[in-house]
Amino acid sequence: GIQVEQSPPDLILQEGANSTLRCNFSDSVNNLQWFHQNPWGQLINLFYIPSGTKQNGRLSATTVATERYSLLYISSSQTTDSGVYFCAVGGSQGNLIFGKGTKLSVKP
Amino acid sequence: DAGVTQSPTHLIKTRGQQVTLRCSPKSGHDTVSWYQQALGQGPQFIFQYYEEEERQRGNFPDRFSGHQFPNYSSELNVNALLLGDSALYLCASSPQDRGREQYFGPGTRLTVT
């Protein structure tokens, strides 16, 4: 099956810093989503981005499908950005396959 | 526009018991998927329902079963609970086309003692 690897596993930032999270996947996919999981467990949709580049405020994402990776950029980080960021890819049958996540801690 | 809802929020059960979790999809969505998330891990796919039938299943034993109703809501049933079934159970909904964006509910946290 498709393998999803996220890096780094942990990231500690000072408020105001920028960061890049990476997601590598092992096969072609027809869906790629980035999520932020808050401390209560809710998965919040950040981007649906099987290819191309999107921006939403301080967050942006790029997926290069031909090279099987995606990047999530967080600029001017805030303490509320803390949590776990998941990349998930979809196979041909419609299920999502998640990476192990990147745990982000933003210090004031 | 109501998002995906799940009930109950928390549940405590004893080994060997059975449990039923419920999910209502986002308005306009007809496909429901269930995921299990153990502590410190990413969610793992259990199964997906479309048109009241199980369309795809992940690597979970038959103790895990489900149902989808005509209004697209869904139930997840787990029989003969094991301690290892303790986890956050997440429901996601999407439109029928495979590859479309999935939206998740707040989850049900199950503790088996």
Side-chain angles (χ1 to χ4, degrees):
Chain A
I2 299 174
Q3 304 296 313
V4 181
E5 292 186 1
Q6 291 187 242
S7 60
D10 296 279
L11 189 57
I12 300 174
L13 299 175
Q14 281 301 125
E15 201 168 25
N18 302 328
S19 61
T20 301
L21 282 58
R22 186 177 180 100
C23 172
N24 293 331
F25 45 97
S26 61
D27 204 346
S28 59
V29 297
N30 59 7
N31 179 5
L32 190 146
Q33 294 184 239
W34 283 97
F35 297 93
H36 176 211
Q37 189 165 43
N38 66 22
W40 299 272
Q42 173 82 55
L43 281 171
I44 299 164
N45 289 40
L46 297 178
F47 294 102
Y48 169 75
I49 187 166
S51 64
T53 297
K54 291 185 178 180
Q55 181 160 5
N56 184 5
R58 296 181 296 105
L59 273 59
S60 63
T62 295
T63 297
V64 184
T66 54
E67 297 187 22
R68 299 179 184 166
Y69 73 89
S70 183
L71 302 174
L72 176 68
Y73 305 96
I74 304 174
S75 64
S76 305
S77 58
Q78 301 175 358
T79 56
T80 52
D81 294 332
S82 296
V84 182
Y85 289 79
F86 285 104
C87 167
V89 303
S92 60
Q93 298 302 310
N95 60 306
L96 285 178
I97 303 160
F98 283 77
K100 293 185 176 180
T102 292
K103 184 176 179 180
L104 174 64
S105 298
V106 181
K107 306 297 185 184
Chain B
D1 176 23
V4 181
T5 60
Q6 291 187 242
S7 63
T9 306
H10 295 87
L11 205 50
I12 300 175
K13 289 287 190 178
T14 303
R15 273 180 302 176
Q17 286 187 318
Q18 178 263 346
V19 68
T20 297
L21 311 181
R22 295 175 176 84
C23 171
S24 290
K26 184 177 170 66
S27 177
H29 289 182
D30 56 10
T31 300
V32 173
S33 303
W34 287 92
Y35 295 80
Q36 179 196 66
Q37 187 178 18
L39 200 61
Q41 303 294 317
Q44 299 289 317
F45 174 73
I46 303 174
F47 42 55
Q48 183 179 84
Y49 276 84
Y50 170 67
E51 291 189 336
E52 302 181 47
E53 292 193 357
E54 184 181 292
R55 181 159 72 174
Q56 189 189 5
R57 188 179 184 93
N59 188 24
F60 279 80
D62 292 344
R63 298 187 298 108
F64 290 77
S65 62
H67 188 77
Q68 186 178 34
F69 299 93
N71 67 352
Y72 309 124
S73 66
S74 177
E75 288 182 349
L76 164 65
N77 302 292
V78 187
N79 294 323
L81 284 167
L82 304 174
L83 294 179
D85 295 331
S86 295
L88 179 67
Y89 288 84
L90 295 162
C91 168
S93 76
S94 58
Q96 72 169 79
D97 298 333
R98 293 189 174 103
R100 297 288 295 276
E101 186 172 6
Q102 296 190 24
Y103 292 82
F104 283 79
T108 294
R109 193 167 297 278
L110 173 65
T111 302
V112 182
T113 62

